[in-house]
């Protein structure tokens, strides 16, 4: 049954108008980042990571630059507990990194959690209980006062055990299912917890506002966050944290608008792994800031390595279109897109602008460890002449004349269309050379001699069907003289309309490439290329191939 009438909004707007966030243009500084890959992300895997796998993932998070890492729910399983103890006992936690552990607001679980973190230089103890209307009515069958008391009792016990232990602990509280909780009631519960903890400027507490399930448009969440930020007790000593999930596909938007609304911290996962549709994707969030010229305070410069390690350890697959890190996110198959990117890249070479403004590329792919050669201009049957020319220039240093690009583009598109596949750069080069280089099905030029008289006299020896023949003509220059000889021999126009040349490699032994285009009497164009150390020989070879094309 597909019946929309069984649903209605399950969220609550704040009792007062809260939309100051609307006036802010963009997130202008990085939040405090907390990776929850090793807890929230790990518990969402079909096969949770082993101890060794969690250690490898943890080290990757350190390399990225996370200073707060939720390492698990140590009272939930022996593996979680052992992982926590391993990090502490083997001194694997850098001085500037804080581990975080999760616990329900239940006394025996809280006590087990403190046992797990004993000896840590510092740790965040994250306690939670659900406060939503649906959970109060359906799961716990408790009143608002009873649910609030669970939070208060949990907060009290954290403070008592921390004093007994003498450790360096910071406290965090989450009203789980915040998005399904009346904002004024969530505020009441959170303030009761803050009053118990009495945070100071030297030891702030964290109030985390989880989007346990997305229920609303992002602007509603932003209004809820702003309401909490404006009305929390002791706000200067409270870090407001967000923990968005992605049920409506707007976890990133929730986070960005929540930061505009006054939040200080984000809990999320690399690549958005998490329960159901996932947690908020920290990579997308951080790279969105980066693309606005804001330092995200995370090192995401080797995205291929992060992707490979993530997929290996989680057995999850990153979608090819995943923002910033998918295999195809910088790829352009469309001809118009390829042409714009190609021209944008040439503009950068010619003008050396300070800012990155290349069309269709929001960031420079090289910033995240990608390459132009294999990641940007991709060739298939949808590609255009500009893209094909860009591939040959980028990979092989061949600057294709504009007049030649359309003919080449159609040739490449035809091959891709018939084969129903993308073509590699080497395959594009193969098509290019097969069509234009040493194309001699009708005749070959084996020898050419020049003499300067009234202009240039050319004696051209050609081979046709295994026989040699000498043809002669005069012209304004060497190539003109050879083209006149060929036109006379085959009784066909050989009007040179395109001639370009350039070196392929620098130095005294550099090869040169020549491009020649000719037209017949109907103004139809034919093209050829020649590559040789001698530019005259290269030019003659190019003309030879173009004339053979005309004879087809």
């Amino acid at each position: 049954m597909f019946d929309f009438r069984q649903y209605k909004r399950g969220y609550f707007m704040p009792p007062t108008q809260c939309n100051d966030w609307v006036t802010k243009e963009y997130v202008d500084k990085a939040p405090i980042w907390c990776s929850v890959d090793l807890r929230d992300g790990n518990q969402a895997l079909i096969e949770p990571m082993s101890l060794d796998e969690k250690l490898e993932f943890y080290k990757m998070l350190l390399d990225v630059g996370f200073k707060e890492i939720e390492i698990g729910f140590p009272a939930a399983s022996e593996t979680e507990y052992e992982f926590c103890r391993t990090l502490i006992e083997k001194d694997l936690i850098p001085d500037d990194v804080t581990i975080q552990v999760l616990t329900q607001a239940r006394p025996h679980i809280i006590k087990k959690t403190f046992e797990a973190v004993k000896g840590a230089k510092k740790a965040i103890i994250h306690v939670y209980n659900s406060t939503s209307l649906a959970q109060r009515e359906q799961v716990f069958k408790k009143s608002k006062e009873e649910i609030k008391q669970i939070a208060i009792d949990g907060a009290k016990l954290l403070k008592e055990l921390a004093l007994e232990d003498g450790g360096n602990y910071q406290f965090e509280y989450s009203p789980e299912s915040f998005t399904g909780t009346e904002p004024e009631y969530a505020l009441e519960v959170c303030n009761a917890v803050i009053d118990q903890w009495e945070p100071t400027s030297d030891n702030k507490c964290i109030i985390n506002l989880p989007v346990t399930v997305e229920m609303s448009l992002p602007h509603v969440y932003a209004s809820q966050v702003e309401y909490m930020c404006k009305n929390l007790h002791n706000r200067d000593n409270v870090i407001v944290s967000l923990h968005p999930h992605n049920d409506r596909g707007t976890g990133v938007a929730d986070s960005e608008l929540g930061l505009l609304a006054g939040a200080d911290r984000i809990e999320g996962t690399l690549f958005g792994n998490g329960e159901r549709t996932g947690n908020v994707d920290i990579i997308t969030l951080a790279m969105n800031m980066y693309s606005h010229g804001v330092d995200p305070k995370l090192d995401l410069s080797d995205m291929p390595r992060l992707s490979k390690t993530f997929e290996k350890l989680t057995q999850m697959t990153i979608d090819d279109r995943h923002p910033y890190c998918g295999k195809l996110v910088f790829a352009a198959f469309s001809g118009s897109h390829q042409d714009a990117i190609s021209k944008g890249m040439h503009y950068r070479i010619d003008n050396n602008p300070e800012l990155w403004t290349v069309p269709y590329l929001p960031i420079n792919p090289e910033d995240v460890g990608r390459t132009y050669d294999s990641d940007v201009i991709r060739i298939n049957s949808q590609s255009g002449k500009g893209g094909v020319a860009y591939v040959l220039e980028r990979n092989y240093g061949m600057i294709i004349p504009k007049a030649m690009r359309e003919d080449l583009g159609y040739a490449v598109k035809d091959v891709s269309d018939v084969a129903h596949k993308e073509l590699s750069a080497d395959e594009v080069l193969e098509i290019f050379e097969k069509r234009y280089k040493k194309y001699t099905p009708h005749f070959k030029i084996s020898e050419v001699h020049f003499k300067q008289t009234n202009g240039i006299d050319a004696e051209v020896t050609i081979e046709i069907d295994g026989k040699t023949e000498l043809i002669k003509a005069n012209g304004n220059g060497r190539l003109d003289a050879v083209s006149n000889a060929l036109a006379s021999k085959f009784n066909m126009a050989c009007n040179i309309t395109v001639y370009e040349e350039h070196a392929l490699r620098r130095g005294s032994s550099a090869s040169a490439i020549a491009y020649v285009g000719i037209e017949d009497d109907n103004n139809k164009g034919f093209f050829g290329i020649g590559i040789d150390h001698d530019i005259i020989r290269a030019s003659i070879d190019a003309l030879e191939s173009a004339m053979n094309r005309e004879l087809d």
Side-chain angles (χ1 to χ4, degrees):
M1 178 178 69
F2 189 77
D3 185 359
F4 68 90
R5 292 171 296 181
Q6 63 187 307
Y7 301 104
K8 68 174 184 177
R9 67 186 183 94
Y11 60 88
F12 303 89
M13 289 294 289
T16 57
Q17 188 175 24
C18 293
N19 56 8
D20 290 351
W21 56 268
V22 175
T23 63
K24 300 175 184 177
E25 182 182 351
Y26 66 100
V27 179
D28 59 3
K29 66 177 181 179
I32 301 166
W33 299 110
C34 178
S35 162
V36 296
D37 288 270
L38 297 173
R39 197 277 303 172
D40 206 343
N42 186 56
Q43 75 182 34
L45 298 176
I46 296 172
E47 184 179 335
M49 288 180 275
S50 66
L51 177 60
D52 287 342
E53 288 171 333
K54 290 190 79 171
L55 283 169
E56 185 175 350
F57 204 115
Y58 169 76
K59 290 174 183 176
M60 179 174 70
L61 294 173
L62 293 180
D63 290 342
V64 170
F66 284 99
K67 301 304 179 186
E68 295 184 3
I69 301 173
E70 188 170 84
I71 60 169
F73 196 148
S77 75
E78 190 57 34
T79 300
E80 300 279 283
Y81 186 91
E82 183 184 359
F83 178 59
C84 183
R85 294 310 308 161
T86 298
L87 294 181
I88 295 168
E89 292 170 6
K90 293 190 175 182
D91 196 23
L92 298 175
I93 307 169
D95 291 342
D96 63 344
V97 172
T98 303
I99 59 169
Q100 176 172 304
V101 289
L102 184 70
T103 176
Q104 293 173 328
R106 300 170 66 184
H108 71 286
I109 296 179
I110 292 173
K111 290 175 182 177
K112 179 75 171 179
T113 302
F114 270 88
E115 291 175 16
V117 298
K118 190 173 183 63
K121 296 173 185 175
K122 52 186 174 180
I124 297 169
I125 313 296
H126 180 184
V127 63
Y128 73 94
N129 68 303
S130 187
T131 58
S132 72
L133 175 62
Q135 297 242 27
R136 295 196 314 264
E137 291 183 344
Q138 301 173 38
V139 180
F140 303 112
K141 302 185 187 306
K142 291 182 182 293
S143 68
K144 286 183 175 180
E145 282 302 316
E146 290 173 310
I147 294 294
K148 181 173 75 171
Q149 194 61 47
I150 292 173
I152 292 171
D153 291 344
K156 281 182 179 179
L157 185 55
L158 255 65
K159 191 171 182 178
E160 290 170 6
L161 293 176
L163 287 171
E164 290 176 13
D165 182 277
N168 184 12
Y169 301 120
Q170 186 176 17
F171 301 143
E172 175 176 351
Y173 172 70
S174 286
E176 192 201 5
S177 300
F178 168 77
T179 44
T181 303
E182 306 91 329
E184 57 270 37
Y185 175 61
L187 177 68
E188 181 183 336
V189 175
C190 289
N191 278 337
V193 169
I194 293 169
D195 291 345
Q196 289 296 319
W197 285 340
E198 299 178 310
T200 65
S201 59
D202 293 330
N203 190 16
K204 297 183 179 183
C205 73
I206 301 168
I207 294 297
N208 189 51
L209 306 176
V211 184
T212 308
V213 178
E214 272 193 318
M215 295 181 171
S216 68
L217 274 68
H219 77 283
V220 172
Y221 182 58
S223 297
Q224 294 168 339
V225 171
E226 184 174 311
Y227 172 75
M228 297 294 287
C229 287
K230 286 181 173 179
N231 293 284
L232 285 171
H233 290 176
N234 203 355
R235 177 65 179 95
D236 288 345
N237 297 322
V238 174
I239 296 168
V240 175
S241 176
L242 310 180
H243 183 114
H245 281 251
N246 199 43
D247 300 88
R248 291 170 55 90
T250 57
V252 169
D254 286 338
S255 301
E256 291 180 324
L257 296 190
L259 289 171
L260 294 181
D264 312 295
R265 182 177 184 267
I266 293 288
E267 293 186 351
T269 59
L270 296 179
F271 307 105
N273 176 44
E275 298 205 65
R276 303 182 308 280
T277 56
N279 286 53
V280 67
D281 178 0
I282 284 181
I283 285 179
T284 300
L285 265 177
M287 291 307 302
N288 282 356
M289 295 176 197
Y290 182 84
S291 71
H292 282 169
V294 176
D295 183 358
K297 305 298 184 181
L298 295 175
D299 182 0
L300 303 173
S301 60
D302 192 353
M303 205 72 77
R305 177 208 165 213
L306 296 181
S307 302
K308 183 178 179 180
T309 304
F310 173 85
E311 291 186 331
K312 179 187 74 170
L313 296 177
T314 65
Q315 300 180 49
M316 300 284 286
T317 301
I318 297 170
D319 191 271
D320 286 348
R321 300 292 182 186
H322 195 113
Y324 300 105
C325 51
K327 294 176 181 176
L328 297 178
V329 296
F330 298 113
F333 292 102
S334 160
S336 61
H337 289 207
Q338 291 176 343
D339 184 60
I341 290 172
S342 176
K343 288 173 179 174
M345 295 303 294
H346 281 103
Y347 177 86
R348 286 188 61 78
I349 294 170
D350 295 339
N351 297 278
N352 193 28
E354 181 181 352
L355 299 178
W356 176 267
T357 57
V358 175
Y360 298 111
L361 295 178
I363 66 165
N364 185 342
E366 289 183 332
D367 290 354
V368 290
R370 303 290 287 273
T371 65
Y372 298 110
D373 298 349
S374 59
D375 288 321
V376 179
I377 302 294
R378 307 278 290 269
I379 304 301
N380 65 13
S381 60
Q382 303 301 309
S383 301
K385 58 186 180 181
V388 173
Y390 180 83
V391 165
L392 291 175
E393 180 178 354
R394 177 74 187 181
N395 290 277
Y396 310 106
M398 296 175 174
I399 305 172
I400 310 302
K402 289 183 179 180
M404 188 178 183
R405 293 179 183 182
E406 185 171 2
D407 185 76
L408 171 60
Y410 281 122
V412 172
K413 284 163 69 82
D414 287 346
V415 173
S416 178
D417 199 24
V418 170
H420 297 289
K421 70 167 191 173
E422 179 186 354
L423 301 178
S424 68
D426 286 347
E427 288 172 316
V428 172
L429 177 64
E430 182 180 353
I431 295 167
F432 175 69
E433 291 187 337
K434 184 177 180 180
R435 185 172 182 83
Y436 304 114
K437 181 183 176 184
K438 294 189 180 300
Y439 182 74
T440 58
H442 302 287
F443 73 92
K444 294 181 181 179
I445 296 177
S446 56
E447 243 183 290
V448 181
H449 296 284
F450 298 104
K451 183 187 296 183
Q452 188 163 355
T453 55
N454 184 18
I456 298 291
D457 291 331
E459 294 183 349
V460 184
T461 302
I462 61 174
E463 297 179 10
I464 302 177
D465 297 328
K467 298 179 181 179
T468 61
E469 183 175 344
L470 181 66
I471 54 178
K472 300 179 181 180
N474 179 268
N476 295 325
R478 289 179 173 84
L479 201 60
D480 185 52
V482 175
S483 71
N484 290 339
L486 294 176
S488 175
K489 164 62 186 173
F490 296 107
N491 195 28
M492 297 176 69
C494 186
N495 303 314
I496 298 175
T497 56
V498 174
Y499 177 79
E500 293 185 21
E501 62 182 64
H502 63 80
L504 283 177
R505 291 187 299 272
R506 294 179 180 177
S508 59
S509 62
S511 293
I513 182 169
Y515 309 85
V516 170
I518 61 174
E519 284 186 353
D520 63 14
D521 290 330
N522 296 315
N523 298 321
K524 183 178 180 181
F526 305 90
F527 302 92
I529 66 166
I531 299 175
D532 198 273
H533 294 298
D534 181 352
I535 190 59
I536 299 300
R537 183 69 241 187
S539 303
I540 292 169
D541 288 347
L543 178 62
E544 173 189 62
S545 292
M547 190 64 185
N548 270 278
R549 276 281 165 203
E550 184 178 354
L551 290 169
D552 281 347

